Amino acid sequence: MTPLAPLESLLDRTGGDEFPLPPGLAALYGPLRFPLRKGRPYVIGNFVATVDGVASLSAPGLSGGGPISGSNPHDRMVMGLLRSVADAVIVGAGTLRSVPNHLWTAEHIYPPLADSYRRLRTALGKSAPALNVIVTARGELDLDLPVFRSAKVKVLIVTTPEGARRLRARDLPPPVAIEEAGEGGPIGAREVLSAVGRILPGDILLVEGGPRLMGDFFHEMCLDELFLTIAPQVAGRDGSVDRPGMVAGKRFAPESPRWGTLAGVKRAGSHLFLRYAFPVER
């Protein structure tokens, strides 16, 4: 495998504590800083979209981020880096269905840097991989999937009381915990964060979507920062299938647009790696 070239930093207005990246990761990414807050987790999102704003091709076997980024190794390296510093990775049930064999760990998304990711987590005092959090209102999950059965990660399912009853009636693997949230309807972002906080009072929580879950976090203004990869492809839309953008199920502009502040820009070839900070309400 050809070694990765370092990301080219075009803008860096990030502040806060600099994380102790191992030399190899530091050379590839540069300094990584987060303005952590005492008393609440710092919530970041990570997404990839095409230049025309498509975040999923919505086709069998092609609904994940890989076909959007072109399985770009720098995008995967950054995903692994963010998972390395996160205490939990939060995804919706739709994301799980789109990549059913996935584990939301740094090593899984970019194996060549597995040792560096582990060293970073050790330096941060995080001995185990990030908690994998699956959000589902109905609780209709395939519990035979690797994320539940591999025993490589601990899993928290955040679901409604009805979803919890449905799941507890089945053969629940030992590393899987359930937290109830909501009253039977959609589960809000704050409810997700509260449920995670009851299990794991972490410093950094990472949201990887999908678009409806990301929409909830923007709607409730619970996202501190967004890491957005722009892939240099035009996917297009013809109306035959829904090709969502980064946010679905919520409308903000023109009534209440969510404006961000550009905090960082990096480049690898024609891929752009952007960081936007957003105001939060907790």
Side-chain angles (χ1 to χ4, degrees):
M1 179 178 292
T2 304
L4 283 184
L7 288 170
E8 180 184 359
S9 181
L10 306 177
L11 173 73
D12 187 353
R13 294 175 176 163
T14 60
D17 298 327
E18 184 168 333
F19 279 51
L21 270 57
L25 268 176
L28 285 171
Y29 187 82
L32 177 64
R33 307 180 190 89
F34 289 107
L36 301 183
R37 310 280 194 269
K38 288 187 177 179
R40 70 166 180 85
Y42 195 75
V43 183
I44 60 176
N46 186 28
F47 236 88
V48 59
T50 66
V51 292
D52 58 335
V54 172
S56 172
L57 299 183
S58 300
L62 299 173
S63 295
I68 298 296
S69 75
S71 297
N72 180 263
H74 286 91
D75 183 56
R76 291 173 178 265
M77 180 271 288
V78 173
M79 291 174 71
L81 175 60
L82 298 180
R83 291 179 183 182
S84 293
V85 302
D87 296 283
V89 183
I90 303 169
V91 300
T95 297
L96 173 61
R97 285 191 291 272
S98 71
V99 284
N101 295 315
H102 201 72
L103 302 178
W104 281 267
T105 67
E107 296 84 355
H108 190 91
I109 193 65
Y110 197 64
L113 289 176
D115 182 62
S116 293
Y117 294 143
R118 281 193 289 268
R119 289 171 59 193
L120 174 56
R121 287 192 71 79
T122 299
L124 294 172
K126 305 175 193 288
S127 58
L131 178 70
N132 282 201
V133 180
I134 313 296
V135 182
T136 168
R138 296 192 300 271
E140 295 175 347
L141 299 174
D142 181 354
L143 296 179
D144 290 326
L145 295 179
V147 69
F148 302 117
R149 297 287 179 182
S150 71
K152 293 181 179 178
V153 293
K154 292 184 177 179
V155 179
L156 172 65
I157 300 174
V158 180
T159 186
T160 60
E162 180 181 352
R165 285 193 293 274
R166 183 175 288 122
L167 287 163
R168 287 176 177 135
R170 299 164 62 191
D171 175 23
L172 205 62
V176 180
I178 295 175
E179 279 290 315
E180 297 182 15
E183 297 296 332
I187 301 172
R190 285 189 178 84
E191 293 172 313
V192 173
L193 295 177
S194 294
V196 174
R198 291 194 292 270
I199 296 292
L200 181 74
D203 295 323
I204 296 180
L205 305 182
L206 170 61
V207 183
E208 290 196 8
R212 288 192 175 274
L213 186 65
M214 192 65 77
D216 290 339
F217 274 78
F218 276 112
H219 176 67
E220 298 183 39
M221 300 182 73
C222 289
L223 199 75
D224 291 278
E225 267 195 64
L226 174 68
F227 287 73
L228 176 62
T229 299
I230 300 297
Q233 70 157 313
V234 178
R237 297 177 174 93
D238 63 4
S240 61
V241 295
D242 178 31
R243 288 186 161 181
M246 185 182 68
V247 168
K250 293 289 186 296
R251 167 176 153 163
F252 304 120
E255 296 86 357
S256 183
R258 301 295 192 254
W259 289 100
T261 300
L262 187 62
V265 180
K266 295 180 185 293
R267 184 179 76 89
S270 296
H271 284 70
L272 289 176
F273 299 83
L274 312 177
R275 283 181 71 170
Y276 284 101
F278 290 89
V280 297
E281 291 182 357
R282 300 280 176 86

